[in-house]
Amino acid sequence: MLHIVVCIKQVPDSREIRIDPKNNTLIRQGVPSIVNFYDMHGLEEALRIKDEHGARITVVTMGPPPAEKGLKECISLGADDAVLVTDRGFAGADTLATSYVVARTIRKIAETWGQVDIVFCGKQTLDGDTGQVGPGVACRLDLEQLTYVNKVVNVDEAGRKVRVHRLLEDGIEVVETSMPVLITALKELNKVRRATLPGMIRAARYKPTVWTTADFPDLERAKIGLKGSPTIVAKTWVPEIKAVKTQMIAFDSPEAAAAQLADQLWTKEMQTLLDWSS
C-alpha cells in the first residue's frame, strides 16, 4: 500500500493580515488561522489516490500547539494520521530551517510507519509566498520533485511511476518520474471535498502525534529556529488601498455611451503619452 505524506501549514487568514512596523513580521495574535489552501489541494489529491489505489495518508505540520486544529481538519477529510512538530526551539524558522525540520520529520515518519512514496506540498504558503519549502524538502531527502502540478495523470504503484502535468508560463509539460517523489500542488489540481459527518466525529476525538526537539536527538540545533535562519526581512508593508473615482456616463443609447467612453479613454491615453514624452 502506498504511503503518502501531506505537508500543511496554518497561516493567517489573508483578509485579516497585519504587519508589525517595528520588526517587519506578521501580527498573528488575534488573527484567525486557516490551513494554507494550496496545501488543501495537495491533501485532496492524496485522498483521490487513496480512493483509487488505497493508501495511508500522514499529514504533518510544524507550528505552535493551536496548529492541531488544522491537522484535525485534515483528519475529518480522510487522512489517517497526523503529526504536529512543535517546540519553542523551532520558532522563528525561515524556509531553510523549516525545510530542514520537515525533512527530518518525514524521515522519522518513514521510520515509524513505513516507507514514504509520495510527499504533497502546496505550491507556496499565503504568508511566506516563497515556494521554497517543498523543493527544499525534496533536496534534503534526495527525492524526485514535480513542481507546479495541475494534474496527476497516473499513479502506477506496481511500476513505481507517477505521471503529471506541470503548468508552465508557456504551456503544459507532461512529466513521468519514479517514486519516491515530492509534488507541489496548484489550486487548479482539483476541487477540495467537504468533510463527512463520520469524518468530523473521528477528527473531534483524534489526538495528533506530537514531536518536539526531544524526539530528534541528533537534530543539529544550529540549523533550527532563529539560529538556523539566515534570511533577514528588511522591510514589509501592506499595500495602500486607494479610493477609485468613478464617473457615470448616461446617454440615450448604448452606442452613444460607448462613443463617449472611447473619446474619454483616448483623451487620457494621449495625455499620458504627452506627459511621458515631455
PDB file of all heavy atoms in Angstrom, residues 27-56:
ATOM      1  N   ILE A  27       1.613  40.044  12.391  1.00  0.00           N
ATOM      2  CA  ILE A  27       0.942  40.028  13.688  1.00  0.00           C
ATOM      3  C   ILE A  27      -0.051  38.871  13.665  1.00  0.00           C
ATOM      4  O   ILE A  27      -1.055  38.916  12.959  1.00  0.00           O
ATOM      5  CB  ILE A  27       0.212  41.358  13.958  1.00  0.00           C
ATOM      6  CG1 ILE A  27       1.206  42.516  13.973  1.00  0.00           C
ATOM      7  CG2 ILE A  27      -0.558  41.282  15.270  1.00  0.00           C
ATOM      8  CD1 ILE A  27       0.560  43.879  14.100  1.00  0.00           C
ATOM      9  N   ARG A  28       0.243  37.818  14.409  1.00  0.00           N
ATOM     10  CA  ARG A  28      -0.596  36.627  14.388  1.00  0.00           C
ATOM     11  C   ARG A  28      -1.608  36.603  15.530  1.00  0.00           C
ATOM     12  O   ARG A  28      -2.628  35.917  15.439  1.00  0.00           O
ATOM     13  CB  ARG A  28       0.275  35.363  14.448  1.00  0.00           C
ATOM     14  CG  ARG A  28       1.210  35.243  13.239  1.00  0.00           C
ATOM     15  CD  ARG A  28       2.088  34.008  13.332  1.00  0.00           C
ATOM     16  NE  ARG A  28       3.023  33.930  12.222  1.00  0.00           N
ATOM     17  CZ  ARG A  28       2.775  33.332  11.057  1.00  0.00           C
ATOM     18  NH1 ARG A  28       1.600  32.771  10.871  1.00  0.00           N
ATOM     19  NH2 ARG A  28       3.676  33.301  10.106  1.00  0.00           N
ATOM     20  N   GLN A  29      -1.310  37.329  16.602  1.00  0.00           N
ATOM     21  CA  GLN A  29      -2.205  37.319  17.751  1.00  0.00           C
ATOM     22  C   GLN A  29      -3.542  37.958  17.384  1.00  0.00           C
ATOM     23  O   GLN A  29      -3.604  39.071  16.865  1.00  0.00           O
ATOM     24  CB  GLN A  29      -1.581  38.067  18.925  1.00  0.00           C
ATOM     25  CG  GLN A  29      -2.396  37.962  20.211  1.00  0.00           C
ATOM     26  CD  GLN A  29      -1.675  38.591  21.395  1.00  0.00           C
ATOM     27  OE1 GLN A  29      -0.597  39.152  21.237  1.00  0.00           O
ATOM     28  NE2 GLN A  29      -2.259  38.489  22.566  1.00  0.00           N
ATOM     29  N   GLY A  30      -4.610  37.237  17.654  1.00  0.00           N
ATOM     30  CA  GLY A  30      -5.943  37.753  17.372  1.00  0.00           C
ATOM     31  C   GLY A  30      -6.371  37.625  15.924  1.00  0.00           C
ATOM     32  O   GLY A  30      -7.477  38.033  15.560  1.00  0.00           O
ATOM     33  N   VAL A  31      -5.500  37.065  15.078  1.00  0.00           N
ATOM     34  CA  VAL A  31      -5.829  36.890  13.664  1.00  0.00           C
ATOM     35  C   VAL A  31      -6.230  35.432  13.438  1.00  0.00           C
ATOM     36  O   VAL A  31      -5.480  34.518  13.789  1.00  0.00           O
ATOM     37  CB  VAL A  31      -4.624  37.241  12.767  1.00  0.00           C
ATOM     38  CG1 VAL A  31      -4.971  37.010  11.300  1.00  0.00           C
ATOM     39  CG2 VAL A  31      -4.199  38.687  12.995  1.00  0.00           C
ATOM     40  N   PRO A  32      -7.409  35.169  12.880  1.00  0.00           N
ATOM     41  CA  PRO A  32      -7.831  33.783  12.648  1.00  0.00           C
ATOM     42  C   PRO A  32      -6.904  33.072  11.677  1.00  0.00           C
ATOM     43  O   PRO A  32      -6.374  33.680  10.743  1.00  0.00           O
ATOM     44  CB  PRO A  32      -9.241  33.935  12.065  1.00  0.00           C
ATOM     45  CG  PRO A  32      -9.298  35.327  11.522  1.00  0.00           C
ATOM     46  CD  PRO A  32      -8.407  36.144  12.404  1.00  0.00           C
ATOM     47  N   SER A  33      -6.692  31.777  11.922  1.00  0.00           N
ATOM     48  CA  SER A  33      -5.818  30.984  11.069  1.00  0.00           C
ATOM     49  C   SER A  33      -6.621  29.986  10.247  1.00  0.00           C
ATOM     50  O   SER A  33      -7.666  29.500  10.678  1.00  0.00           O
ATOM     51  CB  SER A  33      -4.788  30.233  11.917  1.00  0.00           C
ATOM     52  OG  SER A  33      -3.900  31.133  12.543  1.00  0.00           O
ATOM     53  N   ILE A  34      -6.113  29.671   9.067  1.00  0.00           N
ATOM     54  CA  ILE A  34      -6.707  28.680   8.190  1.00  0.00           C
ATOM     55  C   ILE A  34      -5.593  27.782   7.667  1.00  0.00           C
ATOM     56  O   ILE A  34      -4.420  28.137   7.742  1.00  0.00           O
ATOM     57  CB  ILE A  34      -7.453  29.332   7.002  1.00  0.00           C
ATOM     58  CG1 ILE A  34      -6.481  30.196   6.180  1.00  0.00           C
ATOM     59  CG2 ILE A  34      -8.625  30.166   7.492  1.00  0.00           C
ATOM     60  CD1 ILE A  34      -7.072  30.754   4.902  1.00  0.00           C
ATOM     61  N   VAL A  35      -5.957  26.630   7.158  1.00  0.00           N
ATOM     62  CA  VAL A  35      -4.951  25.788   6.503  1.00  0.00           C
ATOM     63  C   VAL A  35      -4.661  26.391   5.134  1.00  0.00           C
ATOM     64  O   VAL A  35      -5.576  26.725   4.385  1.00  0.00           O
ATOM     65  CB  VAL A  35      -5.455  24.341   6.354  1.00  0.00           C
ATOM     66  CG1 VAL A  35      -4.412  23.500   5.612  1.00  0.00           C
ATOM     67  CG2 VAL A  35      -5.732  23.729   7.714  1.00  0.00           C
ATOM     68  N   ASN A  36      -3.404  26.566   4.825  1.00  0.00           N
ATOM     69  CA  ASN A  36      -2.996  27.122   3.542  1.00  0.00           C
ATOM     70  C   ASN A  36      -3.724  26.388   2.411  1.00  0.00           C
ATOM     71  O   ASN A  36      -3.673  25.162   2.316  1.00  0.00           O
ATOM     72  CB  ASN A  36      -1.485  26.955   3.393  1.00  0.00           C
ATOM     73  CG  ASN A  36      -0.961  27.539   2.111  1.00  0.00           C
ATOM     74  OD1 ASN A  36      -1.131  28.722   1.833  1.00  0.00           O
ATOM     75  ND2 ASN A  36      -0.311  26.695   1.313  1.00  0.00           N
ATOM     76  N   PHE A  37      -4.431  27.133   1.543  1.00  0.00           N
ATOM     77  CA  PHE A  37      -5.337  26.465   0.608  1.00  0.00           C
ATOM     78  C   PHE A  37      -4.593  25.657  -0.459  1.00  0.00           C
ATOM     79  O   PHE A  37      -5.128  24.653  -0.957  1.00  0.00           O
ATOM     80  CB  PHE A  37      -6.324  27.453  -0.013  1.00  0.00           C
ATOM     81  CG  PHE A  37      -5.763  28.366  -1.064  1.00  0.00           C
ATOM     82  CD1 PHE A  37      -5.681  27.961  -2.392  1.00  0.00           C
ATOM     83  CD2 PHE A  37      -5.348  29.647  -0.739  1.00  0.00           C
ATOM     84  CE1 PHE A  37      -5.184  28.809  -3.361  1.00  0.00           C
ATOM     85  CE2 PHE A  37      -4.850  30.502  -1.711  1.00  0.00           C
ATOM     86  CZ  PHE A  37      -4.760  30.076  -3.023  1.00  0.00           C
ATOM     87  N   TYR A  38      -3.365  26.013  -0.819  1.00  0.00           N
ATOM     88  CA  TYR A  38      -2.597  25.170  -1.746  1.00  0.00           C
ATOM     89  C   TYR A  38      -2.328  23.800  -1.118  1.00  0.00           C
ATOM     90  O   TYR A  38      -2.358  22.774  -1.808  1.00  0.00           O
ATOM     91  CB  TYR A  38      -1.271  25.829  -2.106  1.00  0.00           C
ATOM     92  CG  TYR A  38      -1.385  27.017  -3.027  1.00  0.00           C
ATOM     93  CD1 TYR A  38      -1.086  28.307  -2.581  1.00  0.00           C
ATOM     94  CD2 TYR A  38      -1.784  26.868  -4.355  1.00  0.00           C
ATOM     95  CE1 TYR A  38      -1.177  29.404  -3.429  1.00  0.00           C
ATOM     96  CE2 TYR A  38      -1.880  27.962  -5.212  1.00  0.00           C
ATOM     97  CZ  TYR A  38      -1.570  29.228  -4.733  1.00  0.00           C
ATOM     98  OH  TYR A  38      -1.662  30.314  -5.575  1.00  0.00           O
ATOM     99  N   ASP A  39      -2.073  23.786   0.193  1.00  0.00           N
ATOM    100  CA  ASP A  39      -1.851  22.522   0.894  1.00  0.00           C
ATOM    101  C   ASP A  39      -3.101  21.655   0.878  1.00  0.00           C
ATOM    102  O   ASP A  39      -3.018  20.430   0.784  1.00  0.00           O
ATOM    103  CB  ASP A  39      -1.429  22.783   2.344  1.00  0.00           C
ATOM    104  CG  ASP A  39      -0.157  23.612   2.453  1.00  0.00           C
ATOM    105  OD1 ASP A  39       0.578  23.698   1.454  1.00  0.00           O
ATOM    106  OD2 ASP A  39       0.090  24.174   3.538  1.00  0.00           O
ATOM    107  N   MET A  40      -4.265  22.296   0.965  1.00  0.00           N
ATOM    108  CA  MET A  40      -5.518  21.545   0.933  1.00  0.00           C
ATOM    109  C   MET A  40      -5.715  20.848  -0.410  1.00  0.00           C
ATOM    110  O   MET A  40      -6.281  19.753  -0.474  1.00  0.00           O
ATOM    111  CB  MET A  40      -6.697  22.476   1.227  1.00  0.00           C
ATOM    112  CG  MET A  40      -6.708  23.033   2.640  1.00  0.00           C
ATOM    113  SD  MET A  40      -6.755  21.733   3.905  1.00  0.00           S
ATOM    114  CE  MET A  40      -8.428  21.126   3.699  1.00  0.00           C
ATOM    115  N   HIS A  41      -5.240  21.466  -1.472  1.00  0.00           N
ATOM    116  CA  HIS A  41      -5.328  20.807  -2.778  1.00  0.00           C
ATOM    117  C   HIS A  41      -4.362  19.621  -2.847  1.00  0.00           C
ATOM    118  O   HIS A  41      -4.655  18.615  -3.512  1.00  0.00           O
ATOM    119  CB  HIS A  41      -5.045  21.812  -3.897  1.00  0.00           C
ATOM    120  CG  HIS A  41      -6.147  22.804  -4.097  1.00  0.00           C
ATOM    121  ND1 HIS A  41      -7.344  22.480  -4.706  1.00  0.00           N
ATOM    122  CD2 HIS A  41      -6.256  24.110  -3.743  1.00  0.00           C
ATOM    123  CE1 HIS A  41      -8.130  23.545  -4.745  1.00  0.00           C
ATOM    124  NE2 HIS A  41      -7.492  24.546  -4.150  1.00  0.00           N
ATOM    125  N   GLY A  42      -3.220  19.724  -2.166  1.00  0.00           N
ATOM    126  CA  GLY A  42      -2.318  18.585  -2.066  1.00  0.00           C
ATOM    127  C   GLY A  42      -2.962  17.437  -1.306  1.00  0.00           C
ATOM    128  O   GLY A  42      -2.863  16.265  -1.702  1.00  0.00           O
ATOM    129  N   LEU A  43      -3.644  17.767  -0.202  1.00  0.00           N
ATOM    130  CA  LEU A  43      -4.350  16.741   0.570  1.00  0.00           C
ATOM    131  C   LEU A  43      -5.445  16.092  -0.269  1.00  0.00           C
ATOM    132  O   LEU A  43      -5.601  14.869  -0.256  1.00  0.00           O
ATOM    133  CB  LEU A  43      -4.947  17.356   1.834  1.00  0.00           C
ATOM    134  CG  LEU A  43      -5.859  16.429   2.647  1.00  0.00           C
ATOM    135  CD1 LEU A  43      -5.081  15.231   3.175  1.00  0.00           C
ATOM    136  CD2 LEU A  43      -6.525  17.191   3.785  1.00  0.00           C
ATOM    137  N   GLU A  44      -6.211  16.900  -0.977  1.00  0.00           N
ATOM    138  CA  GLU A  44      -7.291  16.357  -1.803  1.00  0.00           C
ATOM    139  C   GLU A  44      -6.750  15.362  -2.825  1.00  0.00           C
ATOM    140  O   GLU A  44      -7.358  14.298  -3.048  1.00  0.00           O
ATOM    141  CB  GLU A  44      -8.037  17.484  -2.515  1.00  0.00           C
ATOM    142  CG  GLU A  44      -9.081  17.033  -3.519  1.00  0.00           C
ATOM    143  CD  GLU A  44     -10.198  16.194  -2.935  1.00  0.00           C
ATOM    144  OE1 GLU A  44     -10.525  16.378  -1.747  1.00  0.00           O
ATOM    145  OE2 GLU A  44     -10.756  15.350  -3.674  1.00  0.00           O
ATOM    146  N   GLU A  45      -5.623  15.684  -3.454  1.00  0.00           N
ATOM    147  CA  GLU A  45      -5.073  14.758  -4.444  1.00  0.00           C
ATOM    148  C   GLU A  45      -4.609  13.464  -3.783  1.00  0.00           C
ATOM    149  O   GLU A  45      -4.762  12.372  -4.354  1.00  0.00           O
ATOM    150  CB  GLU A  45      -3.922  15.420  -5.205  1.00  0.00           C
ATOM    151  CG  GLU A  45      -3.607  14.750  -6.528  1.00  0.00           C
ATOM    152  CD  GLU A  45      -4.783  14.785  -7.508  1.00  0.00           C
ATOM    153  OE1 GLU A  45      -5.576  15.744  -7.464  1.00  0.00           O
ATOM    154  OE2 GLU A  45      -4.903  13.823  -8.317  1.00  0.00           O
ATOM    155  N   ALA A  46      -4.043  13.575  -2.575  1.00  0.00           N
ATOM    156  CA  ALA A  46      -3.657  12.369  -1.836  1.00  0.00           C
ATOM    157  C   ALA A  46      -4.886  11.517  -1.533  1.00  0.00           C
ATOM    158  O   ALA A  46      -4.847  10.282  -1.643  1.00  0.00           O
ATOM    159  CB  ALA A  46      -2.946  12.765  -0.540  1.00  0.00           C
ATOM    160  N   LEU A  47      -5.986  12.159  -1.168  1.00  0.00           N
ATOM    161  CA  LEU A  47      -7.224  11.434  -0.879  1.00  0.00           C
ATOM    162  C   LEU A  47      -7.777  10.762  -2.132  1.00  0.00           C
ATOM    163  O   LEU A  47      -8.320   9.648  -2.072  1.00  0.00           O
ATOM    164  CB  LEU A  47      -8.258  12.393  -0.289  1.00  0.00           C
ATOM    165  CG  LEU A  47      -7.942  12.934   1.105  1.00  0.00           C
ATOM    166  CD1 LEU A  47      -8.897  14.063   1.475  1.00  0.00           C
ATOM    167  CD2 LEU A  47      -8.002  11.825   2.149  1.00  0.00           C
ATOM    168  N   ARG A  48      -7.644  11.423  -3.287  1.00  0.00           N
ATOM    169  CA  ARG A  48      -8.107  10.821  -4.538  1.00  0.00           C
ATOM    170  C   ARG A  48      -7.279   9.589  -4.899  1.00  0.00           C
ATOM    171  O   ARG A  48      -7.811   8.586  -5.389  1.00  0.00           O
ATOM    172  CB  ARG A  48      -8.055  11.854  -5.664  1.00  0.00           C
ATOM    173  CG  ARG A  48      -9.054  12.983  -5.477  1.00  0.00           C
ATOM    174  CD  ARG A  48      -9.101  13.914  -6.668  1.00  0.00           C
ATOM    175  NE  ARG A  48     -10.062  14.990  -6.437  1.00  0.00           N
ATOM    176  CZ  ARG A  48     -10.637  15.707  -7.402  1.00  0.00           C
ATOM    177  NH1 ARG A  48     -10.347  15.463  -8.670  1.00  0.00           N
ATOM    178  NH2 ARG A  48     -11.499  16.657  -7.108  1.00  0.00           N
ATOM    179  N   ILE A  49      -5.982   9.662  -4.648  1.00  0.00           N
ATOM    180  CA  ILE A  49      -5.123   8.494  -4.881  1.00  0.00           C
ATOM    181  C   ILE A  49      -5.520   7.369  -3.928  1.00  0.00           C
ATOM    182  O   ILE A  49      -5.575   6.195  -4.319  1.00  0.00           O
ATOM    183  CB  ILE A  49      -3.644   8.874  -4.711  1.00  0.00           C
ATOM    184  CG1 ILE A  49      -3.226   9.872  -5.806  1.00  0.00           C
ATOM    185  CG2 ILE A  49      -2.752   7.634  -4.751  1.00  0.00           C
ATOM    186  CD1 ILE A  49      -1.846  10.466  -5.603  1.00  0.00           C
ATOM    187  N   LYS A  50      -5.816   7.726  -2.697  1.00  0.00           N
ATOM    188  CA  LYS A  50      -6.264   6.732  -1.711  1.00  0.00           C
ATOM    189  C   LYS A  50      -7.563   6.084  -2.157  1.00  0.00           C
ATOM    190  O   LYS A  50      -7.728   4.857  -2.044  1.00  0.00           O
ATOM    191  CB  LYS A  50      -6.445   7.403  -0.346  1.00  0.00           C
ATOM    192  CG  LYS A  50      -6.952   6.476   0.747  1.00  0.00           C
ATOM    193  CD  LYS A  50      -7.135   7.223   2.065  1.00  0.00           C
ATOM    194  CE  LYS A  50      -7.694   6.314   3.139  1.00  0.00           C
ATOM    195  NZ  LYS A  50      -7.876   7.024   4.435  1.00  0.00           N
ATOM    196  N   ASP A  51      -8.498   6.876  -2.667  1.00  0.00           N
ATOM    197  CA  ASP A  51      -9.783   6.331  -3.127  1.00  0.00           C
ATOM    198  C   ASP A  51      -9.586   5.354  -4.277  1.00  0.00           C
ATOM    199  O   ASP A  51     -10.300   4.349  -4.377  1.00  0.00           O
ATOM    200  CB  ASP A  51     -10.702   7.467  -3.582  1.00  0.00           C
ATOM    201  CG  ASP A  51     -11.145   8.369  -2.438  1.00  0.00           C
ATOM    202  OD1 ASP A  51     -11.057   7.927  -1.276  1.00  0.00           O
ATOM    203  OD2 ASP A  51     -11.576   9.510  -2.706  1.00  0.00           O
ATOM    204  N   GLU A  52      -8.632   5.655  -5.159  1.00  0.00           N
ATOM    205  CA  GLU A  52      -8.445   4.832  -6.363  1.00  0.00           C
ATOM    206  C   GLU A  52      -7.544   3.632  -6.138  1.00  0.00           C
ATOM    207  O   GLU A  52      -7.819   2.533  -6.632  1.00  0.00           O
ATOM    208  CB  GLU A  52      -7.864   5.698  -7.490  1.00  0.00           C
ATOM    209  CG  GLU A  52      -7.706   4.959  -8.803  1.00  0.00           C
ATOM    210  CD  GLU A  52      -7.216   5.843  -9.935  1.00  0.00           C
ATOM    211  OE1 GLU A  52      -7.122   7.083  -9.728  1.00  0.00           O
ATOM    212  OE2 GLU A  52      -6.933   5.317 -11.026  1.00  0.00           O
ATOM    213  N   HIS A  53      -6.459   3.821  -5.395  1.00  0.00           N
ATOM    214  CA  HIS A  53      -5.459   2.763  -5.269  1.00  0.00           C
ATOM    215  C   HIS A  53      -5.359   2.177  -3.860  1.00  0.00           C
ATOM    216  O   HIS A  53      -4.780   1.104  -3.687  1.00  0.00           O
ATOM    217  CB  HIS A  53      -4.073   3.302  -5.661  1.00  0.00           C
ATOM    218  CG  HIS A  53      -4.003   3.827  -7.051  1.00  0.00           C
ATOM    219  ND1 HIS A  53      -3.864   3.009  -8.154  1.00  0.00           N
ATOM    220  CD2 HIS A  53      -4.037   5.095  -7.535  1.00  0.00           C
ATOM    221  CE1 HIS A  53      -3.817   3.742  -9.246  1.00  0.00           C
ATOM    222  NE2 HIS A  53      -3.917   5.019  -8.898  1.00  0.00           N
ATOM    223  N   GLY A  54      -5.865   2.916  -2.881  1.00  0.00           N
ATOM    224  CA  GLY A  54      -5.613   2.541  -1.500  1.00  0.00           C
ATOM    225  C   GLY A  54      -4.289   3.144  -1.062  1.00  0.00           C
ATOM    226  O   GLY A  54      -3.290   3.032  -1.788  1.00  0.00           O
ATOM    227  N   ALA A  55      -4.277   3.792   0.064  1.00  0.00           N
ATOM    228  CA  ALA A  55      -3.051   4.437   0.541  1.00  0.00           C
ATOM    229  C   ALA A  55      -3.215   4.806   2.004  1.00  0.00           C
ATOM    230  O   ALA A  55      -4.342   4.930   2.512  1.00  0.00           O
ATOM    231  CB  ALA A  55      -2.730   5.686  -0.279  1.00  0.00           C
ATOM    232  N   ARG A  56      -2.100   4.981   2.653  1.00  0.00           N
ATOM    233  CA  ARG A  56      -2.082   5.522   4.018  1.00  0.00           C
ATOM    234  C   ARG A  56      -1.602   6.962   3.911  1.00  0.00           C
ATOM    235  O   ARG A  56      -0.577   7.242   3.286  1.00  0.00           O
ATOM    236  CB  ARG A  56      -1.124   4.719   4.898  1.00  0.00           C
ATOM    237  CG  ARG A  56      -1.053   5.215   6.343  1.00  0.00           C
ATOM    238  CD  ARG A  56       0.105   4.566   7.089  1.00  0.00           C
ATOM    239  NE  ARG A  56       0.090   4.954   8.483  1.00  0.00           N
ATOM    240  CZ  ARG A  56      -0.179   4.121   9.475  1.00  0.00           C
ATOM    241  NH1 ARG A  56      -0.449   2.865   9.241  1.00  0.00           N
ATOM    242  NH2 ARG A  56      -0.175   4.564  10.732  1.00  0.00           N
TER     243      ARG A  56
END
